[in-house]
């Protein structure tokens, strides 16, 4: 239980951090052009404003408004989205003067992006003061906190099951393993649910309670790629419960192991496809690389938790610890390779590592992982010399550092690569 308390403490600190520093969520989606064009003067009243983005967006959730002379609304209400184009119907016979379009849409990877521009009908006039909405800090914080909990839960749930499936079948009978699997599954359910509930208010620039006042927001989320993947994850979790996962492993058999690992991979894909990897081409390649990356992270960090909670106190430690050490080493190698592929694709240049927030967070993550590898090397020496007391200490430090890695990863997911 001590490791669970430690994880909860770090999670609480991480949640407070995310709420305190959460900036308006952004992605690399950008407005390419519009009709009428930015700063243009059109002779006749247009029937609509069309916004063209560089990737698919969802505007049903956002605050897309057209404000004219006297701060009056010129749009007819709800915008219509067709893949990457947002159509905003306008009132007939607009008065001459300047109009401001303020927009807030959700990118294909679930992040809110906003901006504004102006055009004029007939002649240029006074510019309305309309501003794009920004989500309240509690909405952004809860959204980020949900992501953090879901990633932390994934590490515990998938990592524990992977270790038991591959090297320690006897772990299915250990109470500590069962607690970790249940805790991880629960965190994923809670984190995913919070993220789904906050997606609507975050896209519309509203407070957390907007889901109660505007139930349509939940339906709007359901029609987005992000929302569909979150619901798919929850359905997958109902199919792969802690009891069901451990039951599959209770009896030896390669088929059961293959079914479990395939189920975990499909579950992990809901994170990968709803993040940056799902917006790159070829999508199948980058999503696949990210799935392998997350599985490797889970095998390493979640496995560490199993080692500390159950294995070190088990009579099986002498037999299983060497196999765990080899698995952890392989997971780190896979983690480095897949992480490098993703970093090269996302960052694009060495300069971006130092001059972009995404690059700086990536450097912080690499530094933390490097320290973890160093501590893990000490643990590997302890395994080889059968000094399990020293292994206990190194594993504790690795888990603390690993939780920090999850926190930084959460911030990376919410940060535009460029």
């Amino acid at each position: 239980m001590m490791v669970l308390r430690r994880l909860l403490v770090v999670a609480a600190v991480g949640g407070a951090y995310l709420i305190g520093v959460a900036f308006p969520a952004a992605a690399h989606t950008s407005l390419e052009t519009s009709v009428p064009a930015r700063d243009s003067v059109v002779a006749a009243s247009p029937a609509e404003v069309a916004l063209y983005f560089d990737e698919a967006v969802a505007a049903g959730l956002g605050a897309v408004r057209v404000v004219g002379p006297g701060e009056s609304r010129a749009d007819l209400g709800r915008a219509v989205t067709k893949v990457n184009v947002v159509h905003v119907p306008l009132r007939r016979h607009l008065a001459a003067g300047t109009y401001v379009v303020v927009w807030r849409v959700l990118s294909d990877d679930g992040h809110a992006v906003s901006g504004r521009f102006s055009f004029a009908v007939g002649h240029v006039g006074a510019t309305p003061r309309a501003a794009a909405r920004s989500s309240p800090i509690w909405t952004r914080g809860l959204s980020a906190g949900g992501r953090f909990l879901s990633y932390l839960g994934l590490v515990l749930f998938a990592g524990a099951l992977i270790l038991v499936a591959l090297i320690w079948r006897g772990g299915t009978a250990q109470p500590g393993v069962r607690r970790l699997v249940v805790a991880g599954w629960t965190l994923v359910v809670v984190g995913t649910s919070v993220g789904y509930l906050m997606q609507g208010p975050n896209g519309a620039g509203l407070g957390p309670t907007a889901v109660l006042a505007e139930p349509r927001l939940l339906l709007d989320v359901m029609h987005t790629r992000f929302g569909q993947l979150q619901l798919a994850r929850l359905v997958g979790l109902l199919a792969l419960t802690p009891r069901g996962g451990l039951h599959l492993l209770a009896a030896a058999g390669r088929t059961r192991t293959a079914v479990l690992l395939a189920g975990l991979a499909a579950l992990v894909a809901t994170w990968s496809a709803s993040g940056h990897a799902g917006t790159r081409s070829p999508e199948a390649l980058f999503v696949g690389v990210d799935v392998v990356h997350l599985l490797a992270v889970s095998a390493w960090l979640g496995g560490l938790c199993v080692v500390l909670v159950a294995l070190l106190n088990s009579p099986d430690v002498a037999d299983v610890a060497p196999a765990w050490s080899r698995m952890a080493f392989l997971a780190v190698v896979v983690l480095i390779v897949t992480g490098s592929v993703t970093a090269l694709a996302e960052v694009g240049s060495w300069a971006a590592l130092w001059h972009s927030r995404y690059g700086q967070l990536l450097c912080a993550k690499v530094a933390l992982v490097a320290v973890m590898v160093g501590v893990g090397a000490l643990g590997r020496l302890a395994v080889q010399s059968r000094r399990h007391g020293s292994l206990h200490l190194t594993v504790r430090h690795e888990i603390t550092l690993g939780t920090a890695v999850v926190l930084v990863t959460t911030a990376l997911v919410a940060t535009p690569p460029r």
Side-chain angles (χ1 to χ4, degrees), residues 157 185 232-245 248 263 267:
F157 180 64
W185 187 89
R233 183 186 305 163
L234 292 174
V235 171
L237 289 167
L238 292 177
L240 186 59
T241 62
R243 182 176 180 180
L248 274 175
L267 193 65

Side-chain angles (χ1 to χ4, degrees), residues 26-30 53-59 61 81 83-84 105-113 199 221 223-230 270-281 283 287 413:
H28 47 289
T29 299
S30 61
F53 294 87
D54 61 350
E55 65 178 41
V57 296
L61 305 174
T81 306
V83 190
N84 66 321
V105 300
L106 288 172
S107 66
D108 209 23
D109 53 3
H111 300 142
V113 191
Q199 187 71 349
V221 176
H223 291 93
T224 66
R225 175 192 178 102
F226 176 87
Q228 291 163 1
L229 287 167
Q230 306 309 296
T270 64
W271 276 271
S272 301
S274 62
H276 296 314
T279 63
R280 300 199 64 85
S281 181
E283 181 180 342
V287 168
V413 172

Side-chain angles (χ1 to χ4, degrees), residues 119-163:
F119 68 92
V121 176
H123 60 78
V124 176
T127 303
R129 294 173 294 179
R133 291 177 179 174
S134 176
S135 296
I137 190 170
W138 282 105
T139 302
R140 304 196 306 268
L142 286 172
S143 182
R147 287 194 301 271
F148 176 65
L149 292 181
S150 69
Y151 275 112
L152 188 62
L154 171 65
V155 165
L156 294 178
F157 180 64
L161 289 178
I162 290 172
L163 185 146

Side-chain angles (χ1 to χ4, degrees), residues 88 162 174-175 182 206 215 264 333 357 366 373:
V88 186
I162 290 172
Q174 295 290 327
V182 171
L206 302 173
L264 286 176
V333 172
R357 184 166 178 252
V366 170
V373 171

Side-chain angles (χ1 to χ4, degrees), residues 289-344:
V289 169
D290 198 63
V291 167
V292 174
H293 183 80
L294 288 176
L295 286 174
V297 171
S298 299
W300 184 22
L301 301 184
L304 284 169
C305 294
V306 174
V307 170
L308 183 59
V309 168
L311 182 58
L312 288 178
N313 300 318
S314 167
D316 298 333
V317 61
D319 296 327
V320 179
W324 151 247
S325 181
R326 291 190 295 271
M327 190 182 88
F329 178 77
L330 178 61
V332 170
V333 172
V334 173
L335 173 66
I336 292 173
V337 172
T338 55
S340 299
V341 171
T342 301
L344 288 172

